[in-house]
Amino acid sequence: MRLILPVGLIATTLAIAPVRFDREKLFRVKPQDKKQADIIKDLAKTNELDFWYPGATHHVAANMTVDFRVSEKESQAIQSALDQNKMHYDILIHDLQQEIEKQFDVKEDIPGRHSYAKYNNWEKIVAWTEKMMDKHPEMVSRIKIGSTVEDNPLYVLKIGKKKGRRKAIFMDCGIHAREWVSPAFCQWFVYQATKTYRRNKIMTKLLDRMNFYILPVFNVDGYIWSWTKNRMWRKNRSKNQNSKCIGTDLNRNFNASWDSIPNTNDPCADNYRGSAPESEKETKAVTDFIRSHLNEIKAYITFHSYSQMLLFPYGYTSKLPPNHEDLAKVAKIGTDVLSTRYETRYIYGPIESTIYPTSGSSLDWAYDLGIKHTFAFELRDKGKFGFLLPESRIKPTCRETMLAVKFISKYILKHTP
């Protein structure tokens, strides 16, 4: 049955004022032992802490760098509690609203032209997908793989020669709404691939022999919401039964040991796994598409931010995958290549031991499905700006990441059956 909202209620929904973050702070704490880790967990029970790293309270452990956002109202109490317990901390951001506004530090070159040095909203990204098809009809096609809860289209761009079956790589960006540098990279990749074809030897070889399926924004509704209403939004925008809280963490919604990690079953939490594996329209559209192209997809790469890591399976177990050595080798060379441009240092390894244990991730799901080269990039930075990376850092981030992605692609072309 369709729920018909009264006109007044619809108007109210549309008129929700954007959330402001005046004088909110980002704390960084490194608990020295279990006792200090438990203090942070206790503070999270009595205060509204938004964990930027790790993604949720239950991941907090001794000797881990922990970043969390605190409201102006609660920041004094948090500081007092940390001081009282002799816990060392830094305040990385003193006024979050100021940092949000300072993100947009690049002027538009030519009004109306798509800018790869700026963050682009969903409307601009849709227009850009059309422009790329029109400009490169022989190489770019757009596939609608499904739609979101709010009926926005999910578009995949296929880059490569139209005819003939060949190896392919699937890449997605923006599974978490607030990680804006991620969709910026997917746009950059498509732009560079099409622009440098026949000019750059490696890109020409890759596009002559492979296809790339690019999902520029996975979590479209959440991305729109992060632009219009709440810059810190992470989940999608689906309604949850018997809860006033909105949204599912799409990267906990895949059928890969979906319910094995505790504390992902609270609809109000940022890492809520959903009511069932693939319960979300976005997840279902992506899994259906990948399953239907499984005979050609040889690698899966997903882009997140922040923390400068290159991750591979597993997240839900400490057990290493059978081709662990191969994955580690590719990740090591990939991070080495990435660092050649600006000396940006990445670490690499399995999700579980490198970042923290996760269940229901797209990376593990793709690997278990049979795609034996699956990687997740956690892009810049290491916490100075966190999710609020200024636009002036977009191009350097994309340029260095492009080097690693090209290396992985060459490796896939050469070494997969």
Side-chain angles (χ1 to χ4, degrees):
M1 187 181 85
R2 288 186 65 189
L3 179 69
I4 298 170
L5 292 172
V7 172
L9 187 56
I10 294 171
T12 315
T13 310
L14 295 175
I16 297 168
V19 178
R20 287 190 64 85
F21 300 92
D22 297 290
R23 291 168 296 284
E24 296 206 358
K25 292 179 170 43
L26 183 68
F27 281 79
R28 168 165 285 179
V29 187
K30 193 164 186 179
Q32 299 301 305
D33 50 33
K34 187 181 182 297
K35 188 187 166 203
Q36 290 194 348
D38 287 342
I39 289 165
I40 296 174
K41 290 177 182 180
D42 289 340
L43 287 171
K45 286 173 192 164
T46 50
N47 300 271
E48 264 191 63
L49 306 187
D50 170 22
F51 282 88
W52 285 24
Y53 186 91
T57 328
H58 61 269
H59 294 311
V60 173
N63 299 312
M64 173 186 271
T65 299
V66 180
D67 298 346
F68 56 83
R69 171 174 67 89
V70 183
S71 69
E72 180 191 14
K73 194 171 83 232
E74 293 177 326
S75 64
Q76 201 53 56
I78 296 292
Q79 268 177 271
S80 302
L82 295 172
D83 288 335
Q84 224 173 343
N85 288 285
K86 297 184 171 52
M87 291 171 70
H88 177 74
Y89 61 88
D90 293 307
I91 298 174
L92 298 181
I93 294 174
H94 288 267
D95 187 330
L96 197 72
Q97 188 62 37
Q98 276 186 12
E99 291 302 324
I100 287 170
E101 285 156 20
K102 279 174 13 192
Q103 267 200 290
F104 300 100
D105 64 346
V106 168
K107 287 191 167 62
E108 226 170 326
D109 303 340
I110 300 163
R113 178 186 284 185
H114 191 82
S115 174
Y116 296 94
K118 291 189 68 61
Y119 292 119
N120 294 299
N121 64 20
W122 174 240
E123 211 173 282
K124 285 182 178 170
I125 293 172
V126 172
W128 166 81
T129 63
E130 285 163 10
K131 181 185 153 190
M132 295 313 283
M133 284 192 301
D134 293 345
K135 206 172 171 186
H136 307 281
E138 73 301 334
M139 194 178 291
V140 180
S141 53
R142 189 175 74 179
I143 307 158
K144 184 183 174 188
I145 64 166
S147 56
T148 67
V149 177
E150 295 182 348
D151 213 27
N152 287 302
L154 288 165
Y155 288 134
V156 162
L157 291 180
K158 181 184 178 184
I159 320 293
K161 294 292 178 63
K162 297 275 176 83
K163 291 188 181 112
R165 188 171 291 284
R166 43 171 60 85
K167 290 179 186 180
I169 293 177
F170 186 95
M171 292 170 18
D172 64 54
C173 291
I175 196 168
H176 290 142
R178 61 189 178 184
E179 298 169 10
W180 283 9
V181 72
S182 166
F185 176 73
C186 269
Q187 292 163 67
W188 178 264
F189 179 87
V190 174
Y191 165 61
Q192 285 297 313
T194 51
K195 181 186 165 189
T196 62
Y197 180 68
R198 295 221 168 93
R199 292 187 208 171
N200 174 284
K201 200 173 154 189
I202 296 168
M203 193 51 85
T204 305
K205 185 178 178 180
L206 290 172
L207 291 172
D208 276 343
R209 301 188 191 181
M210 296 180 88
N211 290 323
F212 290 86
Y213 293 110
I214 315 290
L215 178 60
V217 184
F218 192 129
N219 179 9
V220 175
D221 298 345
Y223 187 67
I224 293 169
W225 195 257
S226 73
W227 272 83
T228 56
K229 301 297 180 189
N230 182 345
R231 177 64 187 86
M232 289 297 111
W233 192 258
R234 170 182 162 105
K235 301 189 280 184
N236 76 349
R237 294 291 305 163
S238 63
K239 291 181 174 62
N240 293 311
Q241 226 177 344
N242 305 321
S243 173
K244 65 183 191 327
C245 296
I246 297 287
T248 287
D249 180 345
L250 295 173
N251 202 37
R252 301 291 179 274
N253 190 235
F254 286 78
N255 195 5
S257 205
W258 172 75
D259 60 352
S260 67
I261 305 269
N263 306 314
T264 55
N265 57 355
D266 173 9
C268 296
D270 263 350
N271 65 339
Y272 175 53
R273 68 191 179 210
S275 57
E278 297 183 23
S279 59
E280 304 310 294
K281 288 181 76 177
E282 298 89 341
T283 318
K284 188 81 175 77
V286 170
T287 54
D288 283 350
F289 181 84
I290 291 176
R291 277 191 284 254
S292 68
H293 293 77
L294 195 55
N295 56 354
E296 56 184 296
I297 295 174
K298 303 298 176 187
Y300 169 83
I301 311 175
T302 181
F303 296 87
H304 294 248
S305 73
Y306 62 98
S307 59
Q308 292 173 200
M309 296 178 179
L310 182 49
L311 305 166
F312 48 83
Y314 282 111
Y316 63 76
T317 175
S318 56
K319 197 183 84 178
L320 298 175
N323 65 334
H324 168 79
E325 282 180 23
D326 189 30
L327 292 170
K329 181 176 84 173
V330 174
K332 183 197 183 307
I333 301 170
T335 54
D336 286 348
V337 167
L338 183 147
S339 71
T340 58
R341 187 77 196 242
Y342 303 103
E343 296 186 1
T344 308
R345 298 287 161 212
Y346 270 55
I347 61 170
Y348 65 90
I351 304 169
E352 194 268 350
S353 57
T354 310
I355 189 163
Y356 44 75
T358 59
S359 55
S361 76
S362 65
L363 190 71
D364 284 350
W365 171 83
Y367 185 87
D368 285 345
L369 189 68
I371 302 169
K372 292 307 173 196
H373 291 87
T374 65
F375 298 96
F377 281 83
E378 291 281 353
L379 300 174
R380 289 195 194 185
D381 61 1
K382 289 180 83 68
K384 183 174 189 253
F385 299 105
F387 301 122
L388 304 176
L389 197 71
E391 288 179 328
S392 52
R393 313 286 173 104
I394 293 175
K395 278 193 174 178
T397 303
C398 290
R399 285 190 188 113
E400 67 193 9
T401 308
M402 192 72 177
L403 297 174
V405 172
K406 278 165 82 169
F407 164 72
I408 293 170
S409 304
K410 275 196 308 180
Y411 186 89
I412 297 304
L413 183 60
K414 191 174 176 184
H415 294 284
T416 57

